[in-house]
Amino acid sequence: MDSKQLYQEVILDHNRKPRNWGRLERASHHAEGLNPLCGDHIWVSLELDGDRVSNVAFEGQSCAICKASASMMTANIKGKSVGEVEQLIREFRDMATGKLDVARQSNHLGRLSVFAGVKDLPSRVKCAILPWHTLHAAFAQQESASTEGDQDPFAASTARGRSA
Amino acid sequence: MSAVPRPAPSCTPDVPPFDLARIRSDFPILGIEVNGKPLAYLDNAASAQMPTPVIDRIVSYQRREHANIHRAVHYLSETATAAYEGARAKVQGFLNAKEEREIIYTSGTTEAINLVMYGYGRKFLGDGDEIIVSQLEHHSNIVPWQMLCGEKGCRLRVIPCDDRGVLDLDAYEKLFNERTRFVAITHVSNALGTVNPVRAMIAAAHARGVPVLVDGAQAAPHIAVDVQELDCDFYCFSAHKLCGPTGMGALYGKAAMLEKMAPFKGGGDMILSVTFEKTTYAPLPAKFEAGTPHIAGAVALGATLDYLARVGMHDIAAWEHSLLEYATRQFETLEGVRIIGTAPEKAAVLSFEVKGVHPHDVGTILNEEGVAVRTGHHCAQPVMQRFRVPATVRASFAFYNTMAEVDQLVAGIRRVQQMFA
Ligand SMILES: Cc1ncc(COP(=O)(O)O)c(C=O)c1O
């Protein structure tokens, strides 16, 4: 694929001006995500109002793909229910790993489908998925997520319950 | 042959000292296109490409000469044994070792270092003993020694480097004390390209009776190495960084050292006699080569060394130095690009960061331009920590690279900067 297709203006823009940057003072859930292979390191914090994500923020050091993915994720999930967001997490992961063809199969990804191109760049798939993986860990009250080892998002099961 | 590193020949030719087009035609892979662009392969420090004579040698070995070695009286076994042992003599010549039996085949540098850790370290080091390594080591020259520290209660001492990536030799001298038992240092840094003054460092260790292992993974491809002149106790390299096969490498060890060491792996071929009461080990080098080795790999390594000898190690060093100098000059015209590792003595490695752009984004976009570079921590996280970067982009040159490929790299970086402006 052409990297222009991946590094589209939206992604470059979110990289330059990430939305919802920072940490929430009164987060009900938070998690730290690490991709030890490339050093991407992000923090996601969120406030749940009942079943709904009322606020969410992230910060960290990462490549453009990871940062834009996190930025667009936070913009997208505000106001959604945990169930809706978990569905998005699954769809995003399936898109990035090539299991979901956004052009042909129905999905809820909308503008997030700009990340579909990473499926052709195996070394970058984890960069795009890390924020989503970290969000999932935050919901599960896990304090950290990693793209490697038993937390590898490609492994069958990654949920490890641990209360915050 | 002399061993003083010759990475900075006073003459840096603008034109290659050999027929570069012909050399490139020896490497079929250099002709491929990536994303519709000609490939510029600048990841040679990770692994170099293989020329046709070596590929052909592997094929001819498998087609006409293969059998297990040292084990049978039939024709093929003898042919294979001769090819396998013949390659050992070539490695001996390549490193200018005194004796053939001082060359132990390994799967690569990593295994060679582990062999010394197990065979020497576990036998001769104990609680409170100290091992000196440098800030510039690849993980493979850190982790085995840390494992030994964990097991035996030894302590790792680290030679620091300055902001150019040059080791502090005064600090090195001060690290020695009565507990210092071993020094393990890299000849050339894979992350920065620094050529360390190993000869002087070895002399300093020997003055205190301390043996020295030199990790030559990044030096052997670029510098004419002479282990007798260096006087190192151990030297190791990997064939794949020399345009040879993966899974193959060698350890040089002084015979007296290898003889007093414990074997590394037990099994067939490393014994003289076995009863259930007692096993007597085979003499060198078989003592360290248990099991059926990578015979085809050894044969291919021999062919690789023949090939490099035909090209000429001094011409290789001279042309690579020209590429490095040219690339460094070009980089200095790029605003917002910082070269990491600016030692006066460098092998053809250019580690850098593009301001405001993560190395992985740089690597992905360069790939789009057909340029293959390595991004990441280069298995040298302590170097990254020293320079306070999570990762770098690394371009590393081989003798088959061209000035045009350097231009392709520089154009690619400009494109990265435009995209992220
Ligand atoms: C300086 C250095 N030492 C050791 C190694 C390990 O070599 P291998 O992976 O071939 O065992 C490398 C390879 O990257 C290296 O650059």
Side-chain angles (χ1 to χ4, degrees):
Chain A
M1 67 160 290
D2 192 324
S3 61
K4 257 198 215 125
Q5 276 171 269
L6 179 59
Y7 290 90
Q8 291 175 36
E9 204 39 55
V10 219
I11 290 182
L12 292 170
D13 178 61
H14 277 267
N15 176 58
R16 249 177 249 124
K17 290 177 292 190
R19 323 294 196 265
N20 304 303
W21 181 264
R23 266 189 235 213
L24 300 180
E25 290 277 304
R26 283 174 303 150
S28 57
H29 296 70
H30 60 90
E32 176 181 4
L34 184 64
N35 180 346
L37 295 185
C38 66
D40 284 348
H41 196 177
I42 64 165
W43 287 263
V44 171
S45 48
L46 56 104
E47 284 165 30
L48 281 190
D49 179 7
D51 185 37
R52 301 225 161 242
V53 177
S54 55
N55 204 357
V56 54
F58 85 102
E59 66 180 10
Q61 292 152 346
S62 69
C63 66
I65 301 300
C66 179
K67 200 196 254 181
S69 173
S71 173
M72 291 178 72
M73 173 183 86
T74 55
N76 191 295
I77 65 170
K78 260 189 220 175
K80 292 208 163 90
S81 73
V82 172
E84 287 167 333
V85 176
E86 288 286 10
Q87 163 102 15
L88 265 184
I89 294 174
R90 275 193 301 278
E91 289 182 2
F92 190 92
R93 189 184 294 169
D94 286 350
M95 168 182 71
T97 53
K99 288 192 213 107
L100 171 71
D101 181 346
V102 284
R104 287 159 200 270
Q105 292 164 270
S106 77
N107 63 78
H108 306 80
L109 290 165
R111 278 159 67 83
L112 292 166
S113 59
V114 292
F115 289 97
V118 287
K119 70 174 190 299
D120 297 321
L121 296 168
S123 61
R124 306 305 302 277
V125 170
K126 287 178 178 177
C127 307
I129 289 181
L130 181 65
W132 299 84
H133 193 44
T134 309
L135 177 65
H136 178 72
F139 280 152
Q141 307 271 21
Q142 266 174 237
E143 284 180 353
S144 69
S146 169
T147 55
E148 299 310 306
D150 59 2
Q151 296 186 348
D152 190 326
F154 300 110
S157 160
T158 58
R160 270 201 313 178
R162 181 148 68 84
S163 56
Chain B
M1 212 197 255
S2 132
V4 196
R6 227 183 293 258
S10 48
C11 71
T12 47
D14 289 336
V15 290
F18 33 59
D19 183 346
L20 189 50
R22 233 191 71 203
I23 283 181
R24 287 183 69 81
S25 71
D26 285 338
F27 293 81
I29 207 167
L30 298 180
I32 70 165
E33 289 197 342
V34 173
N35 296 314
K37 307 270 169 57
L39 167 70
Y41 186 75
L42 305 180
D43 193 19
N44 295 286
S47 200
Q49 300 298 348
M50 187 181 283
T52 302
V54 179
I55 298 171
D56 288 350
R57 186 66 191 96
I58 295 172
V59 173
S60 70
Y61 169 78
Q62 296 292 166
R63 290 176 86 112
R64 289 192 293 271
E65 296 164 55
H66 173 69
N68 211 329
I69 51 164
H70 298 150
R71 287 187 192 179
V73 293
H74 60 75
Y75 166 77
L76 279 179
S77 179
E78 283 174 356
T79 314
T81 303
Y84 179 78
E85 291 302 334
R88 196 187 307 274
K90 291 174 187 180
V91 178
Q92 180 201 349
F94 178 68
L95 297 177
N96 194 31
K98 200 186 294 172
E99 301 177 59
E100 218 172 292
R101 67 192 180 113
E102 294 178 315
I103 305 300
I104 313 294
Y105 289 134
T106 66
S107 68
T109 305
T110 302
E111 191 185 50
I113 296 169
N114 277 275
L115 188 160
V116 175
M117 186 278 271
Y118 276 93
Y120 185 91
R122 290 182 83 203
K123 185 163 175 185
F124 296 110
L125 272 67
D127 195 25
D129 287 344
E130 297 189 357
I131 303 161
I132 297 178
V133 298
S134 86
Q135 178 88 43
L136 300 178
E137 301 310 313
H138 186 279
H139 294 167
S140 65
N141 203 23
I142 301 174
V143 180
W145 306 115
Q146 275 175 335
M147 289 163 61
L148 185 67
C149 290
E151 184 187 332
K152 298 282 184 183
C154 315
R155 200 169 151 219
L156 214 56
R157 308 296 305 271
V158 182
I159 313 163
C161 71
D162 68 15
D163 290 341
R164 300 167 302 165
V166 176
L167 291 182
D168 180 342
L169 296 185
D170 289 336
Y172 170 58
E173 298 265 351
K174 290 194 188 109
L175 286 177
F176 284 94
N177 60 41
E178 68 287 354
R179 298 314 304 266
T180 310
R181 291 285 180 278
F182 203 80
V183 173
I185 43 172
T186 193
H187 196 165
V188 170
S189 153
N190 71 310
L192 306 180
T194 312
V195 181
N196 292 320
V198 286
R199 194 172 169 216
M201 295 174 78
I202 291 162
H206 284 176
R208 295 154 173 100
V210 177
V212 181
L213 172 141
V214 178
D215 171 352
Q218 294 296 339
H222 311 291
I223 295 173
V225 175
D226 182 333
V227 291
Q228 291 189 67
E229 190 169 349
L230 289 178
D231 197 31
C232 53
D233 300 274
F234 302 100
Y235 197 93
C236 17
F237 70 86
S238 299
H240 69 98
K241 296 188 198 279
L242 285 162
C243 307
T246 55
M248 189 66 213
L251 168 71
Y252 156 82
K254 283 182 180 166
M257 298 295 278
L258 293 171
E259 263 166 356
K260 65 181 184 185
M261 282 160 62
F264 175 39
K265 299 181 283 192
D269 271 346
M270 52 77 75
I271 47 84
L272 268 184
S273 69
V274 177
T275 65
F276 282 108
E277 286 69 43
K278 184 172 166 45
T279 291
T280 312
Y281 302 126
L284 301 174
K287 171 181 168 186
F288 292 105
E289 293 180 5
T292 301
H294 188 3
I295 309 169
V299 174
L301 170 58
T304 306
L305 299 180
D306 287 344
Y307 182 84
L308 294 179
R310 284 200 298 279
V311 180
M313 286 309 291
H314 293 301
D315 284 350
I316 286 174
W319 180 238
E320 288 174 350
H321 194 72
S322 298
L323 290 165
L324 177 69
E325 289 220 317
Y326 178 66
T328 305
R329 278 201 309 276
Q330 294 302 303
F331 269 54
E332 282 161 2
T333 69
L334 289 168
E335 214 159 304
V337 174
R338 175 166 80 113
I339 296 177
I340 298 172
T342 49
E345 294 268 308
K346 267 181 73 171
V349 168
L350 208 52
S351 241
F352 61 95
E353 58 173 7
V354 179
K355 201 166 153 240
V357 191
H358 191 279
H360 284 92
D361 297 316
V362 178
T364 296
I365 295 161
L366 288 178
N367 178 59
E368 185 53 36
E369 300 296 308
V371 181
V373 293
R374 172 93 190 265
T375 61
H377 52 61
H378 317 295
C379 297
Q381 287 181 357
V383 175
M384 301 297 113
Q385 288 149 15
R386 170 66 180 75
F387 288 87
R388 290 197 196 80
V389 288
T392 73
V393 188
R394 180 187 71 186
S396 54
F397 305 97
F399 57 93
Y400 46 64
N401 286 127
T402 66
M403 299 290 190
E405 289 174 317
V406 174
D407 294 338
Q408 199 176 332
L409 167 67
V410 171
I413 293 168
R414 288 193 201 283
R415 171 149 187 250
V416 170
Q417 292 181 315
Q418 276 156 18
M419 282 176 69
F420 279 81

